[in-house]
Amino acid sequence: GEQVEQLPSSLIVQEGASVLINCSYTDSASVYFPWYKQEPGKRLQFIIDIRSNMERKQNQRLTLLFDKKTKHLSLHITATQPGDSAIYFCSASIGSNTDKVVFGTGTRLQVSP
Amino acid sequence: NTKITQSPRYLILGRANKSLECEQHLGHNAMYWYKQSAEKPPELMFLYNLKQLIRNETVPSRFIPECPDSSKLLLHISAVDPEDSAVYFCASSLRQGTNERLFFGHGTKLSVL
């Protein structure tokens, strides 16, 4: 079945730095890739997504790049703030059924003031 | 954010029976139960799409879902096991033939004594 890996598993940066989170998947049938942010003790919250017919998507300080050939995504966060501290999950959705969603292993980001 | 509400927030159980409740006010037609253990990725337990159940076959039979209507979801747990200690998230999505993001509730933290 689909496997979704994220690297790095954790990041510690100073406020204002930029970070890059990488995500790779295995199933070429995956077509939709939403990302979620989870602050400590809180729910997962959607932050950005991309579909397999796109290469790039931007939402304010977030830029998501997608390479269908290499089955790789990267999330770039600029001008990080302490409020960005959270675990970030990549996910892959296979076909037209959202039920076949596989979450990545997660990247813990800590932003120091 | 009261669009998806879950109760209770915290649950401490011995080997008792209990039910978790979820209600969404988003008009979504798919609802999910996810289990998240210790900062790991969420794992899908059950999905209801238009009240039809799709089950993750690895979920123990002591977990019984119920969907009384399209906006409500219950999870009945009997004779809990220590391995069941986790946060249980309800989620919903609007499924209309294309993949859509998930909206999560704030979760129920289950601690098994």
Side-chain angles (χ1 to χ4, degrees), chain A residues 31-34 36 51 91-103, chain B residues 28-32 34 44 46-49 54 91-104:
Chain A
V31 296
Y32 176 59
F33 305 90
Y36 299 87
R51 299 186 188 271
S91 70
S93 178
I94 300 172
S96 61
N97 295 319
T98 307
D99 55 299
K100 292 193 167 103
V101 172
V102 180
F103 282 86
Chain B
H28 288 169
N29 49 24
M31 295 189 74
Y32 311 74
Y34 278 89
L44 179 65
F46 304 103
L47 156 67
Y48 276 92
N49 183 31
I54 301 170
S92 68
S93 70
L94 181 64
R95 295 184 69 195
Q96 290 183 324
T98 61
N99 312 81
E100 296 293 339
R101 70 185 75 165
L102 297 171
F103 290 77
F104 285 85

Side-chain angles (χ1 to χ4, degrees), chain B residues 15-41:
Chain B
R15 290 186 62 80
N17 301 341
K18 193 66 180 178
S19 297
L20 310 185
E21 299 182 6
C22 174
E23 185 169 11
Q24 54 99 358
H25 305 279
L26 295 164
H28 288 169
N29 49 24
M31 295 189 74
Y32 311 74
W33 281 114
Y34 278 89
K35 175 184 179 182
Q36 187 179 34
S37 304
E39 298 183 353
K40 292 187 178 176

Side-chain angles (χ1 to χ4, degrees), chain A residues 19-36:
Chain A
V19 299
L20 191 69
I21 300 173
N22 295 292
C23 174
S24 60
Y25 64 99
T26 58
D27 194 330
S28 56
S30 293
V31 296
Y32 176 59
F33 305 90
W35 288 66
Y36 299 87

Side-chain angles (χ1 to χ4, degrees), chain A residues 33 37 73 76 88 111:
Chain A
F33 305 90
K37 170 186 177 184
L73 300 97
H76 189 215
Y88 289 79
V111 182

Side-chain angles (χ1 to χ4, degrees), chain A residues 5-89:
Chain A
E5 299 287 333
Q6 285 180 240
L7 287 172
S9 57
S10 65
L11 279 171
I12 302 175
V13 300
Q14 291 282 343
E15 183 174 5
S18 294
V19 299
L20 191 69
I21 300 173
N22 295 292
C23 174
S24 60
Y25 64 99
T26 58
D27 194 330
S28 56
S30 293
V31 296
Y32 176 59
F33 305 90
W35 288 66
Y36 299 87
K37 170 186 177 184
Q38 187 177 32
E39 296 175 29
K42 299 287 182 66
R43 72 183 80 200
L44 282 81
Q45 290 188 297
F46 168 84
I47 54 174
I48 194 169
D49 60 2
I50 196 164
R51 299 186 188 271
S52 58
N53 58 355
M54 302 169 66
E55 294 181 351
R56 184 179 188 274
K57 191 169 186 179
Q58 184 167 0
N59 180 5
Q60 299 181 324
R61 296 184 292 110
L62 305 177
T63 301
L64 185 54
L65 301 178
F66 175 64
D67 188 328
K68 192 172 184 176
K69 282 186 181 177
T70 61
K71 299 191 186 69
H72 184 264
L73 300 97
S74 55
L75 177 66
H76 189 215
I77 308 174
T78 58
T80 53
Q81 305 163 0
D84 295 329
S85 298
I87 300 176
Y88 289 79
F89 289 103

